[in-house]
Amino acid sequence: MTPKILLLSSLLMAQQPPLPSQEGSLWDYLDGAKINDPPETNEQPSDELIAREESAELYDSALFDHGPPISFYDDPSKVLTFDPLYLDEIDPNDFDIPIDVNDDVIRWMKYFLGPGRKYYSRWLGRSTQYWPMMHSKLEAAGLPKDLVYLSMIESGYITHAYSSAAAVGLWQFIAPTGKEHDLRIDWWVDERRHPEMATDAAIVFLGNLRKSTGHWYLAWAGYNGGPSRVRRAVKRHGTKDFWTLVEKNSFPTETDNYVPKIIAAAIIGKYRERYGFTNIKYLEPLQYETVGVDANISIEVLAKCASLSEEDFGKYNPQLRRWALPPTPKSQTIYVPNAKTFKKKLAKVPPQARLSYKRYTVKRGDTLSSIAARHGTTVQVIQSTNRISNPNRLSVGTTLLIPPDGMQPVSSPKIKSKSNTSSSSKKSTPKRQTVTHTVQRGQALSAIAEQYGVSTKEVMAWNGIKNANRIYAGQKLKIKTTKSIWITYTVRSGDTLSGIAEKNGVSVAELRAWNNLKSTRIYAGQKLKVKK
């Protein structure tokens, strides 16, 4: 056996124990699972074993194809000391945030380059949507541009990211902190979701934390665990060194990990090609302009004027939570690809066709029928506008959007464009689908009809019923409805909540709400309600 093969065999005989499995992480949450930090264990392989195995992999092809470099024969042990993390090549001068490299940082680097690699790849792909805007704002404020990695760790660059602590958006503000920084958060709007608004607030918050704590690591700890906790820790232990405070158990485990996680993310992001992130599909940044519009305009109309689908309009305006702009203030700002074109199209839409909604709070004794009659509209219109699946479950205190008299939100006037023909002025007719309803004990035909947004006479005609009072439990009725239908989805092995949401054209938030899920963790065999 040649010396080369003997050497390779000895290297390959050094087997590294398996790394501990990751039961969940922040990025599992963002992609449909639970949040957990990578656990520490006493069974980690020694540095020597890691180096030997990685050296074997490094020289595997070289030994058999081209042979090792000449230096290998002069000093094999020196050549085989391979550092896959390139720690000696990390230059703190390449960053505008402080960079310490210790065991905690190394642990997170290994995670991002190992089990968490798929998540980090996705973050990089999404990062380019927001980095130009974030870098510009951070630089203008005199703050480090590398603070973008804090946003990466917080949200993975998902505008609708929502944590178990009810933190929202790219910078994960909880409601009180968001409101303290002038972000509007109410039934209509949540500005924590808008990248630019949230970045402005984060810049103010982080700048103040840096001034009050005296060091970026403590500022980050305050961002994660609260400024008061940091102040108490510094006062109690008489030091502003973050790592010393960690050793003294001053912070929760999440905060202990938060700072090294940001440092590790920044190192890998700065040297991404070195760490093998070379085939990333980067997203283009959204190019938008701001425009002022009146209150109470339908999102459908706004989207059409912007030449966007409602879904794409939502990507430009993720802060909007309802199907119309709020009633106040009278003038509001939205974001569109081309403000000039948008204004021209909106000017052609008559004020009465912009679907100005009223707000109505359900009172004791109200029914959808009585509310509809009071406002000169129909049960179907109210159900469609507010996405009410069961009209018999109307809770006192619920706020409903009521379109103006006679207006149909599902068929608002078409806006003429090059792609529209002369038929564009006709009202669109919602498509009906036939469903089968099984009559429950004590159910009246009028209640069934109301449930599906149709009339009692229509149900009688479709089913050949001559007397509305003569139906029985267990009877099957055919109903033609424009309402959304509920289906049951059985979770399969390997499914994630985000995958199921994407497959069914809904959001993770909707799935959680429909099924009363407190987290995104699901299991095989679980039954989920999905509205189609």
Side-chain angles (χ1 to χ4, degrees):
M1 186 177 292
T2 66
K4 292 182 180 180
I5 302 242
L6 278 170
L7 175 61
L8 180 62
S9 298
S10 65
L11 288 169
L12 293 176
M13 288 176 65
Q15 296 298 316
Q16 176 182 341
L19 289 171
S21 63
Q22 309 299 325
E23 295 183 355
S25 68
L26 168 63
W27 310 280
D28 288 320
Y29 161 70
L30 294 176
D31 290 87
K34 188 182 176 183
I35 300 177
N36 275 317
D37 289 332
E40 297 188 28
T41 173
N42 294 325
E43 298 179 1
Q44 289 279 8
S46 67
D47 292 340
E48 180 183 0
L49 286 176
I50 292 175
R52 288 168 68 183
E53 184 172 28
E54 289 168 342
S55 298
E57 294 174 357
L58 177 68
Y59 284 102
D60 182 68
S61 59
L63 289 173
F64 285 101
D65 297 334
H66 309 293
I70 296 300
S71 58
F72 173 82
Y73 297 101
D74 297 332
D75 192 349
S77 61
K78 182 178 180 179
V79 173
L80 288 175
T81 304
F82 172 67
D83 176 16
L85 300 181
Y86 301 96
L87 299 180
D88 292 340
E89 298 182 40
I90 298 172
D91 184 355
N93 294 319
D94 291 337
F95 305 80
D96 56 9
I97 56 175
I99 296 294
D100 291 342
V101 180
N102 55 27
D103 289 344
D104 289 328
V105 173
I106 290 171
R107 178 166 57 91
W108 278 103
M109 288 181 68
K110 288 180 178 179
Y111 176 75
F112 292 149
L113 296 174
R117 189 180 190 90
K118 60 181 179 180
Y119 304 117
Y120 199 93
S121 296
R122 293 170 191 165
W123 307 340
L124 282 178
R126 290 190 287 258
S127 67
T128 43
Q129 278 190 301
Y130 309 111
W131 275 5
M133 176 271 294
M134 289 180 174
H135 283 154
S136 176
K137 287 181 173 291
L138 287 164
E139 187 174 27
L143 298 186
K145 293 195 290 185
D146 286 333
L147 287 176
V148 295
Y149 293 103
L150 183 146
S151 177
M152 173 186 274
I153 292 303
E154 285 285 355
S155 65
Y157 299 124
I158 297 177
T159 57
H160 284 70
Y162 186 93
S163 77
S164 57
V168 173
L170 295 182
W171 297 89
Q172 289 289 281
F173 279 103
I174 59 173
T177 307
K179 291 178 179 179
E180 285 175 10
H181 292 84
D182 299 324
L183 293 177
R184 178 174 176 175
I185 305 167
D186 56 31
W187 192 80
W188 292 94
V189 173
D190 190 342
E191 291 180 346
R192 293 176 295 176
R193 294 178 174 179
H194 194 275
E196 191 166 339
M197 296 176 184
T199 298
D200 288 338
I203 285 173
V204 174
F205 190 27
L206 285 166
N208 290 336
L209 285 171
R210 174 63 178 81
K211 289 178 183 177
S212 64
T213 61
H215 196 282
W216 275 118
Y217 291 174
L218 294 181
W220 300 345
Y223 194 96
N224 176 258
S228 58
R229 187 189 299 272
V230 173
R231 287 194 294 269
R232 289 195 302 269
V234 169
K235 183 176 181 180
R236 182 184 307 118
H237 299 291
T239 179
K240 289 191 173 183
D241 182 75
F242 172 78
W243 308 111
T244 300
L245 293 173
V246 169
E247 290 177 359
K248 294 181 178 296
N249 296 316
S250 303
F251 309 120
T253 302
E254 180 184 350
T255 304
D256 291 347
N257 279 289
Y258 190 71
V259 170
K261 203 184 301 183
I262 293 173
I263 297 171
I267 291 171
I268 295 172
K270 189 73 69 173
Y271 307 122
R272 67 191 71 174
E273 291 84 6
R274 177 186 298 172
Y275 294 111
F277 294 98
T278 55
N279 296 312
I280 305 298
K281 294 181 179 179
Y282 291 101
L283 298 178
E284 292 292 329
L286 286 178
Q287 302 293 335
Y288 53 79
E289 299 175 0
T290 59
V291 60
V293 295
D294 295 333
N296 265 8
I297 302 178
S298 162
I299 298 301
E300 182 183 10
V301 169
L302 294 173
K304 288 176 181 176
C305 289
S307 301
L308 298 169
S309 67
E310 289 186 43
E311 179 181 359
D312 287 339
F313 183 81
K315 293 177 182 177
Y316 282 85
N317 297 275
Q319 76 280 8
L320 300 178
R321 304 179 65 186
R322 305 297 169 189
W323 296 103
L325 295 180
T328 57
K330 292 182 178 180
S331 178
Q332 300 177 29
T333 299
I334 62 170
Y335 301 80
V336 296
N338 188 304
K340 185 176 180 180
T341 302
F342 173 85
K343 288 179 179 179
K344 286 182 178 180
K345 290 188 176 183
L346 183 61
K348 296 178 182 179
V349 184
Q352 68 272 18
R354 298 183 182 184
L355 299 180
S356 297
Y357 291 89
K358 304 173 187 176
R359 268 180 98 178
Y360 179 79
T361 303
V362 177
K363 301 178 178 62
R364 187 175 301 279
D366 277 342
T367 66
L368 281 188
S369 297
S370 65
I371 295 171
R374 188 179 307 152
H375 292 90
T377 185
T378 67
V379 170
Q380 181 181 351
V381 168
I382 296 178
Q383 282 188 261
S384 174
T385 302
N386 296 277
R387 291 194 167 184
I388 298 173
S389 58
N390 188 343
N392 296 319
R393 293 183 179 177
L394 199 59
S395 302
V396 173
T398 300
T399 300
L400 300 178
L401 288 180
I402 311 293
D405 295 357
M407 297 304 296
Q408 299 288 329
V410 293
S411 57
S412 56
K414 297 289 184 181
I415 297 166
K416 292 183 179 180
S417 65
K418 293 180 180 179
S419 62
N420 289 334
T421 65
S422 58
S423 63
S424 63
S425 61
K426 297 179 181 179
K427 289 185 177 180
S428 59
T429 302
K431 293 182 179 179
R432 289 182 180 269
Q433 53 184 323
T434 301
V435 298
T436 300
H437 176 87
T438 303
V439 179
Q440 305 298 313
R441 185 178 300 276
Q443 220 172 17
L445 199 62
S446 59
I448 296 172
E450 187 175 6
Q451 178 178 339
Y452 290 95
V454 297
S455 69
T456 302
K457 289 183 179 179
E458 286 177 314
V459 178
M460 292 174 68
W462 295 329
N463 294 275
I465 299 173
K466 295 182 179 180
N467 189 332
N469 295 320
R470 292 187 178 178
I471 59 172
Y472 54 88
Q475 184 178 357
K476 305 291 185 183
L477 300 178
K478 290 183 179 179
I479 299 175
K480 299 176 183 179
T481 180
T482 58
K483 281 178 68 340
S484 299
I485 304 302
W486 290 93
I487 66 169
T488 299
Y489 181 89
T490 303
V491 178
R492 301 177 180 87
S493 178
D495 273 345
T496 64
L497 208 59
S498 59
I500 296 171
E502 184 176 354
K503 189 183 302 181
N504 288 279
V506 298
S507 69
V508 172
E510 286 174 321
L511 282 179
R512 291 181 63 180
W514 294 334
N515 294 277
N516 296 319
L517 300 177
K518 294 182 179 179
S519 72
T520 55
R521 184 173 291 280
I522 54 177
Y523 55 87
Q526 185 176 0
K527 305 290 185 182
L528 298 178
K529 294 186 298 181
V530 181
K531 184 161 61 174
K532 301 294 285 184

